[in-house]
């Protein structure tokens, strides 16, 4: 009997809606009798709208079967811990086989892992596995769950974790870019400062050299004028002495002529 037939039969027998029948079967792992018992416990099973009576014992078979099922399961208001644990393990095993962990890189599916296998891996190495998953979020790796069950809430949590990793990467890259721009600006300012200092230093050196050259030229000109003055003075003095000697003794040419005579 397929799932649709089970839902239809439970819907008619318990007089519930299609959604209630489907949910009951899902909780009871597809067991029709368990689903009927579950609905009766929840008070959702309603009496049929039309009730018929018959003296034929065969007409009561279905009702008697439900009673027997109820007695067989020893139905109580609250199920025992063992029943709850067994049912939870049964449902968990089914869900772990019907759903998968999908691993994608840059929005492209890489591979999918049965949820049961993923749980086993977590049991044997939960710490390195969780650390690897967290680190991989910063490398454009994303995780999601797919299967027969509604896993949208878990996928929303996984998407939020991925978005946080993307935001952190974006902020880190922006900070690195700003730091690189600041370093480049600082290097440019240092270069401009060095060029300016070198230019000013060269200008100061040229100014000092010109100043010393000018002083040297002025001093040389001064010594040259002094030398000219001294030379003029000695020349004038010599000429005065020569004139005085000539006046006293006559010219040398006249004296040489007298000596010849």
């Amino acid at each position: 009997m397929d799932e649709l037939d089970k839902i239809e039969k439970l819907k008619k027998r318990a007089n519930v809606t299609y959604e209630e029948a489907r949910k009951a079967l899902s909780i009871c792992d597809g067991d029709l009798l368990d689903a009927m018992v579950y609905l009766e416990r929840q008070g959702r099973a309603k009496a049929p709208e039309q009730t018929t009576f018959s003296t034929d014992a065969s007409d009561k078979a279905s009702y008697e079967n439900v009673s027997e099922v109820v007695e067989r399961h020893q139905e109580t208001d609250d199920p025992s811990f063992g029943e709850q644990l067994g049912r939870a393990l049964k449902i968990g095993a089914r869900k772990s086989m019907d759903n998968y962990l999908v691993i994608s890189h840059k929005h492209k599916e890489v591979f999918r892992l049965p949820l049961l296998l993923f749980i086993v891996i977590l049991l044997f190495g939960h710490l390195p596995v969780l650390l690897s998953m967290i680190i991989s979020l910063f490398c454009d790796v994303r995780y999601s769950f797919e299967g027969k069950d509604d896993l949208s809430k878990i996928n929303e949590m996984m998407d939020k974790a991925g978005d946080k990793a993307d935001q952190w990467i974006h902020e880190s890259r922006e900070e690195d870019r700003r730091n690189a721009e600041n370093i480049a600006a600082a290097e440019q300012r240092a270069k401009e400062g060095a060029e300016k200092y070198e230019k000013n230093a060269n200008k100061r050196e040229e100014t000092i050299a010109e100043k010393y050259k000018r002083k040297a030229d002025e001093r040389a000109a001064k010594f040259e004028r002094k030398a000219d003055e001294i030379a003029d003075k000695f020349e004038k003095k010599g000429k005065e002495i020569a004139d005085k000697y000539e006046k006293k003794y006559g010219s040398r040419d006249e004296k040489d002529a007298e000596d010849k005579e």
Side-chain angles (χ1 to χ4, degrees):
M1 185 184 299
D2 59 15
E3 185 177 1
L4 185 59
D5 292 337
K6 291 181 180 180
I7 293 174
E8 289 292 339
K9 183 169 287 189
L10 182 61
K11 178 177 177 292
K12 292 179 180 179
R13 183 172 296 182
N15 194 20
V16 294
T17 64
Y18 183 89
E19 179 63 25
E20 288 175 333
R22 186 194 65 78
K23 186 176 181 181
L25 283 171
S26 176
I27 293 174
C28 297
D29 199 24
D31 192 309
L32 185 61
L33 294 177
D34 286 348
M36 184 67 189
V37 172
Y38 171 79
L39 289 172
E40 290 182 356
R41 286 177 181 172
Q42 299 294 320
R44 296 180 182 176
K46 304 174 185 177
E49 294 180 357
Q50 295 180 353
T51 305
T52 59
F53 299 92
S54 175
T55 57
D56 190 353
S58 62
D59 292 341
K60 299 188 293 182
S62 60
Y63 177 79
E64 291 173 355
N65 288 338
V66 173
S67 300
E68 290 174 2
V69 170
V70 172
E71 291 176 0
R72 185 169 58 250
H73 284 272
Q74 296 179 351
E75 189 176 14
T76 59
D77 291 338
D78 295 321
S80 65
F81 175 76
E83 290 178 349
Q84 292 180 350
L85 180 60
R87 184 165 295 172
L89 291 175
K90 191 175 181 181
I91 294 173
R94 180 186 62 79
K95 289 181 179 294
S96 64
M97 295 299 296
D98 292 342
N99 299 287
Y100 299 87
L101 172 67
V102 180
I103 303 175
S104 305
H105 180 251
K106 294 183 178 180
H107 307 289
K108 183 179 180 181
E109 181 178 332
V110 179
F111 64 92
R112 55 179 56 206
L113 194 67
L115 189 57
L116 179 61
L117 181 58
F118 176 65
I119 294 173
V120 172
I121 294 173
L122 280 180
L123 290 176
F124 286 95
H126 61 281
L127 185 59
V129 171
L130 292 177
L131 287 176
S132 300
M133 291 179 68
I134 293 172
I135 294 173
S136 64
L137 290 175
F138 299 96
C139 301
D140 288 334
V141 176
R142 294 293 177 268
Y143 301 92
S144 61
F145 294 93
E146 295 181 3
K148 295 182 178 179
D149 298 301
D150 183 11
L151 303 172
S152 58
K153 292 184 178 180
I154 300 177
N155 288 333
E156 286 178 4
M157 295 173 60
M158 302 300 291
D159 291 339
K160 288 180 179 179
D163 293 340
K164 286 289 185 182
D166 288 340
Q167 182 180 359
W168 187 87
I169 292 173
H170 178 73
E171 291 176 353
S172 298
R173 289 176 177 173
E174 283 295 318
E175 185 176 358
D176 292 340
R177 183 185 62 80
R178 289 193 297 268
N179 291 336
E181 290 178 353
N182 292 335
I183 291 172
E187 290 178 350
Q188 182 65 25
R189 288 194 299 270
K191 183 179 179 181
E192 292 175 355
E195 292 176 351
K196 183 177 180 180
Y197 177 82
E198 184 179 0
K199 184 177 180 180
N200 292 336
N202 293 335
K203 188 175 181 180
R204 284 197 301 271
E205 289 178 358
E206 292 176 358
T207 303
I208 293 172
E210 290 176 355
K211 181 179 179 180
Y212 279 106
K213 184 177 181 299
R214 186 174 64 255
K215 287 184 176 181
D217 291 341
E218 291 175 355
R219 187 168 295 180
K222 184 177 179 180
F223 279 117
E224 186 176 356
R225 288 194 302 271
K226 193 70 174 176
D228 291 340
E229 290 176 359
I230 294 172
D232 291 341
K233 185 177 180 180
F234 276 105
E235 184 179 359
K236 184 177 180 181
K237 190 69 176 177
K239 186 176 181 182
E240 290 177 353
I241 295 172
D243 291 340
K244 185 178 180 181
Y245 180 84
E246 184 177 356
K247 184 177 180 182
K248 184 176 181 180
Y249 298 102
S251 65
R252 182 175 294 274
D253 293 335
E254 294 176 352
K255 187 176 181 182
D256 289 340
E258 290 178 354
D259 291 338
K260 287 180 180 181
E261 291 180 353

